[in-house]
Amino acid sequence: MKTISLAYLSLGLLACSPAVPPRNVVLVVVDTLRADHLGVYGYERPTSPRIDAFAADALRFADATSPAPWTLPSLATLMTSLYPSVHRATSESDLEDMTWYFQPREFRAFSKLHDAHLTLAEILRDAGFATWGAVQGSYPTGVFGLAQGFETYRENATPGIRFDLEDAFAWLDAKQPKRFLLYLHVIEVHAPYTPIEIRRGAHRKLDPERMPYYREAVAEERLRFLKSDFDPGYRGPIDGSQENLSQFARPGTRVRARDVQQLVALYDRGIAYVDHWVGELIDGLRERGLYDETIVVLTSDHGEEFFEHGRLEHSLSYYEEMLKVPLIVRVPGEARGVVVDETVGLVDVLPSLLDWLEIPAPDGLQGRSLRPGAGGDEAPERAYLGEASLRKGDLALRGPGWKYIRSGQGNEELYDLVADPRERTNRCAQQPADCDRYRARLAERVAEHRARADLLATPEPATIDDATLEELKALGYAD
Ligand SMILES: [Zn+2]
């Protein structure tokens, strides 16, 4: 495995550009998957043998950062290459101190991704791609504007990744599209850390004739899920259900280190489960002769925290367990088994894909192409923004080896991610000049985003229907 910069790759020492650009794109977003819980990102537990094997044959971005610690803004950035404060598909609620959890009626997922924004699926559809998506969870849905550009978009249509993958391959086999975008949004790593089930409300549209098959297959999947028991000796109150997690997340609840270990083991079990199906996806593409014509992207929208900085699950913070996501991209004809160590962001994914596909990018994208050589040899230091919600005003700026966080109240944190990767020591007091510099840099970026957002569409409120509300409840977001 080689660790390398994009500039070095651009010298052509490893890249061997194909004569024709790749034809298709498969995008897999594993919701809530933090990078450091995959073997290929250094995890000691065997959570991800098949993802690791895939990465060995791909470009792996070792330092990829998410623009927000929760699904809607982050995913909208991935799909548009615009930051949350510009695309505005985010929350106007104060997501402070678990308000969203304990006073769920105060929680408002404010706006959807406006139709005026161009998404990856729209650009590819207009370039002649057949576009198909199967998503799990609430935010990746049409209610929040994320179905734009998909000819077929299946929302919580099946109980999970196995069934969505079967449907994807059935579609590919029947349609035999000349070019395609296939998007899978996977929820099994997200809390609750329990096996999949057929939910009466959410899955009422399952074909009644196929119910015996679904029941049998769900039973199989439950066994597969439970098989990866990373902490078999545990005896205690943690079971990974949503009720259980909310109880432990409550401020002031005493949580034993042993119980946190179990929470992590349960989370890891979901990763091992998804890993199996990512492997099946790769095998399925290979069997169909599509693997060497297709860009395959595996990433996540944000991570998950286990009290590293006092909280459980996700939504609020900007620490590495939350923002550092896997980004593994296999491009036919591109260098393989290479680790790119530069800091990159989910905001860069769309321009990179368009560059590899040789499709012109629309004006105004806020990311850059990660195609080796695209940025030239002397790419300037990039800093990536973290924007959790618009109202609260907490922001983060993340550059190579450093992170600056500023709360809406003006509290500041600065971390040296090389010397202090766990972000234990706030260096603002020792390095006031650096803090001043990053504060100014952040203010500049905020002003720039505000100016751009003003030129774009007015945010449009998301109308949350009963099915979405039910799904949000199942994920622990609403009451
Ligand atoms: Zn998410």
Coordinates of all heavy atoms in Angstrom, one line a residue, residues 34 65-71 73-74 94-98 100 301-325 385-389 392-398 403-407 413 415 422-424:
R34 N -18.1 5.8 11.0 CA -16.9 6.6 11.2 C -15.7 5.8 10.6 O -15.6 4.6 10.6 CB -16.7 6.9 12.7 CG -16.7 5.7 13.6 CD -16.8 6.2 15.1 NE -15.5 6.4 15.6 CZ -15.2 6.7 16.9 NH1 -16.2 7.0 17.7 NH2 -14.0 6.9 17.3
T65 N -13.3 14.5 5.2 CA -14.1 15.2 6.3 C -15.5 15.5 5.8 O -15.7 15.9 4.6 CB -13.3 16.4 6.8 OG1 -13.9 16.8 8.0 CG2 -13.3 17.5 5.8
S66 N -16.5 15.4 6.7 CA -17.9 15.6 6.4 C -18.2 17.1 6.8 O -17.6 17.6 7.7 CB -18.7 14.7 7.3 OG -20.0 15.2 7.5
P67 N -19.1 17.7 6.1 CA -19.4 19.1 6.3 C -20.4 19.3 7.5 O -20.7 20.4 7.9 CB -20.1 19.6 5.0 CG -20.7 18.3 4.5 CD -19.9 17.2 4.9
A68 N -20.9 18.2 8.1 CA -21.9 18.3 9.1 C -22.0 17.0 9.9 O -21.8 16.0 9.3 CB -23.3 18.7 8.6
P69 N -22.4 17.1 11.2 CA -22.5 15.8 11.9 C -23.8 15.1 11.9 O -24.1 14.3 12.7 CB -22.2 16.3 13.4 CG -22.7 17.7 13.4 CD -22.5 18.3 12.0
W70 N -24.6 15.4 10.9 CA -25.9 14.7 10.7 C -26.3 14.6 9.2 O -25.7 15.3 8.4 CB -27.0 15.2 11.6 CG -27.4 16.6 11.4 CD1 -26.7 17.7 11.6 CD2 -28.7 17.1 10.8 NE1 -27.4 18.8 11.3 CE2 -28.6 18.5 10.8 CE3 -29.8 16.4 10.4 CZ2 -29.7 19.2 10.4 CZ3 -30.9 17.2 10.0 CH2 -30.8 18.6 10.0
T71 N -27.3 13.8 8.9 CA -27.5 13.3 7.6 C -27.9 14.4 6.5 O -27.2 14.5 5.5 CB -28.6 12.2 7.5 OG1 -28.3 11.3 8.6 CG2 -28.6 11.5 6.2
P73 N -27.8 17.8 6.0 CA -26.9 18.8 5.4 C -25.7 18.1 4.7 O -25.2 18.6 3.7 CB -26.5 19.7 6.6 CG -26.9 18.9 7.8 CD -28.0 18.0 7.5
S74 N -25.2 17.0 5.4 CA -24.1 16.4 4.8 C -24.3 15.7 3.5 O -23.6 15.9 2.5 CB -23.6 15.3 5.9 OG -22.5 14.6 5.3
D94 N -32.5 24.7 17.3 CA -31.3 24.6 18.2 C -31.1 23.2 18.6 O -31.9 22.6 19.3 CB -31.6 25.4 19.5 CG -31.5 26.9 19.2 OD1 -30.7 27.3 18.4 OD2 -32.4 27.6 19.7
L95 N -30.0 22.6 18.1 CA -29.8 21.2 18.4 C -29.0 21.1 19.6 O -28.2 20.2 19.8 CB -29.1 20.5 17.2 CG -29.8 20.6 15.9 CD1 -28.9 19.9 14.8 CD2 -31.1 19.9 15.9
E96 N -29.2 22.0 20.6 CA -28.3 22.1 21.7 C -28.7 21.1 22.8 O -29.9 21.0 23.1 CB -28.4 23.5 22.2 CG -27.3 23.9 23.1 CD -27.4 25.4 23.5 OE1 -28.4 26.0 23.2 OE2 -26.4 25.9 24.0
D97 N -27.7 20.5 23.4 CA -27.9 19.8 24.6 C -29.0 18.8 24.6 O -29.9 18.7 25.5 CB -28.0 20.7 25.8 CG -26.8 21.5 26.0 OD1 -25.7 21.0 25.8 OD2 -26.9 22.6 26.4
M98 N -29.1 18.1 23.5 CA -30.1 17.0 23.3 C -31.6 17.6 23.3 O -32.5 16.8 23.5 CB -30.0 16.0 24.4 CG -28.6 15.4 24.6 SD -28.1 14.5 23.1 CE -29.1 13.0 23.3
W100 N -33.2 18.3 20.8 CA -33.9 17.5 19.8 C -34.4 16.2 20.2 O -35.3 15.7 19.7 CB -32.9 17.4 18.6 CG -31.7 16.5 19.0 CD1 -30.6 17.0 19.6 CD2 -31.5 15.1 18.8 NE1 -29.7 15.9 19.8 CE2 -30.3 14.8 19.3 CE3 -32.3 14.2 18.2 CZ2 -29.8 13.5 19.3 CZ3 -31.9 12.9 18.1 CH2 -30.6 12.5 18.7
D301 N -21.9 9.7 5.7 CA -22.3 11.1 5.8 C -21.8 11.8 7.1 O -21.7 13.0 7.2 CB -23.9 11.2 5.8 CG -24.6 10.3 6.8 OD1 -23.9 9.4 7.3 OD2 -25.8 10.4 6.9
H302 N -21.4 11.0 8.1 CA -20.8 11.4 9.4 C -20.5 10.2 10.2 O -20.9 9.1 9.8 CB -21.8 12.3 10.1 CG -23.2 11.6 10.3 ND1 -23.4 10.7 11.2 CD2 -24.3 11.7 9.6 CE1 -24.6 10.2 11.1 NE2 -25.2 10.8 10.1
G303 N -19.9 10.4 11.3 CA -19.5 9.3 12.2 C -20.5 9.1 13.3 O -21.7 9.4 13.2
E304 N -20.0 8.7 14.5 CA -20.8 8.4 15.7 C -19.9 8.5 16.9 O -18.7 8.2 16.8 CB -21.2 6.9 15.6 CG -22.2 6.5 16.7 CD -23.7 6.8 16.3 OE1 -23.9 7.9 15.9 OE2 -24.6 6.0 16.6
E305 N -20.4 9.0 18.0 CA -19.5 9.2 19.1 C -20.0 8.4 20.3 O -21.2 8.1 20.4 CB -19.4 10.7 19.5 CG -20.7 11.4 19.8 CD -20.6 12.9 19.9 OE1 -19.5 13.4 20.3 OE2 -21.5 13.6 19.6
F306 N -19.0 8.0 21.1 CA -19.3 7.1 22.2 C -18.7 7.7 23.5 O -17.8 7.2 24.1 CB -18.7 5.7 22.0 CG -19.3 5.0 20.8 CD1 -18.8 5.0 19.5 CD2 -20.6 4.4 21.0 CE1 -19.4 4.4 18.5 CE2 -21.2 3.7 19.9 CZ -20.6 3.8 18.7
F307 N -19.1 8.9 23.8 CA -18.7 9.7 25.0 C -17.3 10.1 24.9 O -16.7 10.5 26.0 CB -19.0 8.9 26.3 CG -20.4 8.5 26.5 CD1 -20.9 7.2 26.3 CD2 -21.4 9.5 26.8 CE1 -22.2 6.9 26.5 CE2 -22.7 9.2 27.0 CZ -23.1 7.9 26.9
E308 N -16.6 10.1 23.8 CA -15.2 10.6 23.7 C -15.2 12.0 24.2 O -14.2 12.5 24.7 CB -14.7 10.5 22.3 CG -14.4 9.1 21.8 CD -15.6 8.5 21.0 OE1 -16.8 9.0 21.3 OE2 -15.4 7.6 20.2
H309 N -16.3 12.8 23.8 CA -16.4 14.2 24.2 C -17.7 14.4 24.9 O -18.3 15.4 24.7 CB -16.1 15.1 23.0 CG -14.7 15.0 22.5 ND1 -14.3 14.2 21.5 CD2 -13.6 15.7 22.8 CE1 -13.0 14.3 21.3 NE2 -12.6 15.3 22.0
G310 N -18.1 13.4 25.6 CA -19.3 13.6 26.5 C -20.7 13.2 25.9 O -21.7 13.4 26.6
R311 N -20.7 12.8 24.6 CA -22.0 12.6 24.0 C -22.0 11.2 23.4 O -21.0 10.6 23.1 CB -22.3 13.6 23.0 CG -22.6 15.0 23.5 CD -23.2 15.9 22.5 NE -23.7 17.1 23.0 CZ -23.1 18.3 22.9 NH1 -22.0 18.4 22.2 NH2 -23.6 19.4 23.4
L312 N -23.3 10.8 23.1 CA -23.5 9.5 22.4 C -24.3 9.8 21.1 O -25.0 10.8 21.0 CB -24.4 8.7 23.3 CG -24.7 7.2 22.9 CD1 -23.4 6.4 22.8 CD2 -25.6 6.6 24.0
E313 N -24.1 8.9 20.1 CA -24.7 9.0 18.8 C -24.1 10.2 18.0 O -22.9 10.5 18.1 CB -26.2 9.0 18.8 CG -26.7 7.7 19.4 CD -28.2 7.5 19.2 OE1 -28.7 7.6 18.1 OE2 -28.9 7.3 20.2
H314 N -25.0 11.0 17.4 CA -24.5 12.1 16.6 C -25.5 13.3 16.4 O -26.6 13.1 16.8 CB -24.1 11.6 15.2 CG -25.2 11.0 14.4 ND1 -25.5 9.7 14.5 CD2 -26.2 11.5 13.7 CE1 -26.5 9.4 13.7 NE2 -27.0 10.5 13.2
S315 N -25.1 14.4 15.9 CA -25.9 15.5 15.5 C -25.2 16.9 15.8 O -25.6 17.9 15.2 CB -27.3 15.6 16.2 OG -28.1 14.7 15.5
L316 N -24.3 16.9 16.8 CA -23.9 18.2 17.3 C -22.5 18.5 17.2 O -22.1 19.7 16.9 CB -24.3 18.2 18.8 CG -25.7 18.2 19.2 CD1 -26.0 17.6 20.6 CD2 -26.3 19.6 19.1
S317 N -21.6 17.6 17.4 CA -20.2 18.0 17.6 C -19.4 17.9 16.4 O -19.8 17.4 15.3 CB -19.6 17.1 18.7 OG -19.3 15.8 18.2
Y318 N -18.1 18.4 16.4 CA -17.3 18.5 15.3 C -16.0 17.7 15.5 O -15.0 18.0 14.9 CB -16.9 19.9 15.0 CG -18.1 20.8 14.5 CD1 -18.5 21.8 15.3 CD2 -18.7 20.5 13.3 CE1 -19.6 22.6 14.8 CE2 -19.7 21.3 12.8 CZ -20.1 22.3 13.6 OH -21.2 23.1 13.1
Y319 N -16.0 16.8 16.5 CA -14.7 16.1 16.7 C -14.5 15.0 15.7 O -15.4 14.7 14.9 CB -14.7 15.5 18.2 CG -14.9 16.6 19.2 CD1 -16.0 16.8 19.9 CD2 -13.8 17.5 19.4 CE1 -16.2 17.8 20.8 CE2 -14.0 18.6 20.3 CZ -15.1 18.7 21.0 OH -15.3 19.8 21.9
E320 N -13.3 14.4 15.6 CA -12.9 13.5 14.5 C -13.8 12.3 14.5 O -14.1 11.8 13.4 CB -11.5 13.1 14.7 CG -10.5 14.2 14.4 CD -10.5 14.7 13.0 OE1 -11.3 15.6 12.6 OE2 -9.7 14.2 12.1
E321 N -14.3 11.8 15.6 CA -15.2 10.6 15.6 C -16.5 10.9 14.8 O -17.2 10.0 14.4 CB -15.5 10.1 17.0 CG -16.1 11.2 18.0 CD -15.0 11.9 18.8 OE1 -13.8 12.0 18.3 OE2 -15.3 12.5 19.9
M322 N -16.7 12.2 14.7 CA -18.0 12.6 14.0 C -17.7 13.0 12.6 O -18.5 12.7 11.7 CB -18.5 13.8 14.8 CG -19.9 14.2 14.4 SD -21.0 12.9 14.6 CE -20.8 12.5 16.4
L323 N -16.7 13.8 12.3 CA -16.5 14.3 11.0 C -15.6 13.5 10.1 O -15.7 13.6 8.8 CB -15.8 15.7 11.1 CG -16.7 16.8 11.7 CD1 -16.1 18.2 11.4 CD2 -18.1 16.8 11.2
K324 N -14.8 12.6 10.6 CA -13.9 11.9 9.8 C -14.6 10.6 9.2 O -14.9 9.7 9.9 CB -12.6 11.4 10.5 CG -11.5 11.1 9.6 CD -10.2 11.2 10.4 CE -9.0 10.7 9.5 NZ -7.8 10.8 10.2
V325 N -14.8 10.7 7.9 CA -15.6 9.6 7.2 C -14.7 8.8 6.3 O -13.7 9.3 5.8 CB -16.8 10.2 6.5 CG1 -17.8 10.7 7.4 CG2 -16.3 11.3 5.5
L385 N -15.2 23.4 5.9 CA -16.1 23.9 7.0 C -17.0 22.8 7.6 O -17.4 21.9 6.8 CB -17.0 25.0 6.3 CG -16.8 26.3 7.0 CD1 -15.5 26.9 6.6 CD2 -18.0 27.3 6.5
G386 N -17.3 22.9 8.8 CA -18.3 22.1 9.5 C -19.4 23.0 9.9 O -19.2 24.0 10.5
E387 N -20.6 22.7 9.4 CA -21.8 23.5 9.7 C -23.0 22.6 10.2 O -23.7 22.1 9.3 CB -22.2 24.3 8.5 CG -21.1 25.2 7.9 CD -21.5 25.8 6.6 OE1 -22.1 25.2 5.7 OE2 -21.2 27.0 6.4
A388 N -23.2 22.5 11.5 CA -24.2 21.6 12.0 C -25.6 22.1 11.8 O -26.5 21.3 11.4 CB -23.9 21.3 13.5
S389 N -25.8 23.3 12.2 CA -27.2 23.9 11.9 C -27.0 25.4 11.7 O -26.0 26.0 12.2 CB -28.1 23.6 13.1 OG -27.9 24.6 14.1
K392 N -27.9 27.8 15.4 CA -27.1 27.8 16.6 C -25.8 28.5 16.4 O -25.3 29.1 17.3 CB -26.9 26.3 17.1 CG -26.2 26.2 18.4 CD -26.5 24.9 19.0 CE -25.8 24.7 20.3 NZ -24.4 24.1 20.2
G393 N -25.3 28.4 15.2 CA -24.1 29.1 14.9 C -22.8 28.5 15.3 O -21.7 29.1 15.2
D394 N -22.8 27.2 15.7 CA -21.5 26.5 15.9 C -20.9 26.2 14.6 O -21.6 25.7 13.7 CB -21.8 25.2 16.7 CG -22.2 25.4 18.1 OD1 -22.3 26.6 18.5 OD2 -22.4 24.4 18.8
L395 N -19.6 26.4 14.5 CA -18.9 26.2 13.2 C -17.6 25.5 13.5 O -17.0 25.7 14.5 CB -18.7 27.5 12.4 CG -20.0 28.2 12.0 CD1 -19.7 29.6 11.5 CD2 -20.6 27.4 10.8
A396 N -17.0 24.9 12.4 CA -15.7 24.3 12.6 C -14.9 24.6 11.2 O -15.6 24.7 10.2 CB -15.8 22.8 12.8
L397 N -13.7 24.7 11.4 CA -12.8 24.8 10.2 C -11.7 23.7 10.4 O -11.1 23.7 11.4 CB -12.2 26.2 10.2 CG -11.6 26.7 8.9 CD1 -12.6 26.7 7.8 CD2 -11.0 28.1 9.0
R398 N -11.6 22.9 9.3 CA -10.7 21.7 9.4 C -9.7 21.8 8.3 O -10.0 21.7 7.1 CB -11.6 20.5 9.3 CG -10.9 19.2 9.1 CD -10.1 18.7 10.4 NE -9.9 17.3 10.3 CZ -8.9 16.7 9.6 NH1 -8.1 17.4 9.0 NH2 -8.8 15.4 9.6
K403 N -7.7 21.7 13.7 CA -9.1 22.0 13.6 C -9.4 23.1 14.6 O -8.9 23.2 15.7 CB -9.9 20.7 14.0 CG -11.4 21.0 13.9 CD -12.2 19.8 14.5 CE -12.0 18.6 13.7 NZ -12.5 17.4 14.3
Y404 N -10.2 24.0 14.1 CA -10.7 25.2 14.9 C -12.2 25.1 15.0 O -12.9 24.9 14.0 CB -10.2 26.5 14.2 CG -10.8 27.7 14.8 CD1 -10.3 28.3 16.0 CD2 -11.9 28.4 14.1 CE1 -10.9 29.4 16.5 CE2 -12.5 29.5 14.7 CZ -12.0 30.0 15.9 OH -12.5 31.2 16.4
I405 N -12.7 25.2 16.2 CA -14.2 25.1 16.4 C -14.6 26.4 17.2 O -13.9 26.9 18.1 CB -14.5 23.9 17.3 CG1 -14.1 22.6 16.7 CG2 -16.0 23.9 17.6 CD1 -14.2 21.4 17.5
R406 N -15.7 27.0 16.7 CA -16.2 28.2 17.4 C -17.7 28.0 17.6 O -18.4 27.8 16.7 CB -15.9 29.4 16.5 CG -16.3 30.7 17.1 CD -16.0 31.9 16.2 NE -16.6 33.1 16.6 CZ -16.1 33.9 17.6 NH1 -15.0 33.6 18.2 NH2 -16.8 35.0 17.9
S407 N -18.1 28.2 18.9 CA -19.5 28.0 19.2 C -20.2 29.3 18.9 O -19.6 30.3 18.7 CB -19.6 27.6 20.7 OG -19.5 28.8 21.4
E413 N -12.1 26.5 20.3 CA -11.2 25.4 20.5 C -10.3 25.2 19.3 O -10.7 25.5 18.2 CB -12.1 24.1 20.6 CG -13.0 24.0 21.8 CD -14.0 22.9 21.7 OE1 -13.6 21.7 21.7 OE2 -15.2 23.2 21.6
Y415 N -7.3 22.5 17.9 CA -6.6 21.2 18.2 C -5.5 20.9 17.2 O -5.7 21.2 16.0 CB -7.6 20.0 18.1 CG -8.6 20.2 19.2 CD1 -9.9 20.6 19.0 CD2 -8.3 19.8 20.5 CE1 -10.8 20.8 20.0 CE2 -9.2 20.0 21.6 CZ -10.5 20.5 21.3 OH -11.4 20.6 22.3
R422 N -6.8 12.7 19.5 CA -8.1 12.6 20.2 C -8.7 13.9 20.7 O -9.7 13.9 21.4 CB -7.9 11.7 21.5 CG -7.6 10.2 21.1 CD -7.3 9.4 22.3 NE -6.8 8.1 21.9 CZ -7.6 7.0 21.5 NH1 -8.9 7.2 21.5 NH2 -7.1 5.9 21.2
E423 N -8.1 15.0 20.3 CA -8.6 16.3 20.6 C -8.9 16.5 22.1 O -10.0 16.8 22.5 CB -9.9 16.6 19.8 CG -9.6 16.5 18.3 CD -10.8 16.3 17.4 OE1 -11.3 15.2 17.4 OE2 -11.2 17.3 16.7
R424 N -7.9 16.3 22.9 CA -8.0 16.5 24.4 C -7.6 17.9 24.8 O -8.1 18.3 25.9 CB -7.1 15.4 25.1 CG -7.5 14.0 24.8 CD -8.7 13.7 25.7 NE -9.3 12.4 25.3 CZ -10.6 12.2 25.2 NH1 -11.4 13.1 25.5 NH2 -11.0 11.0 24.9

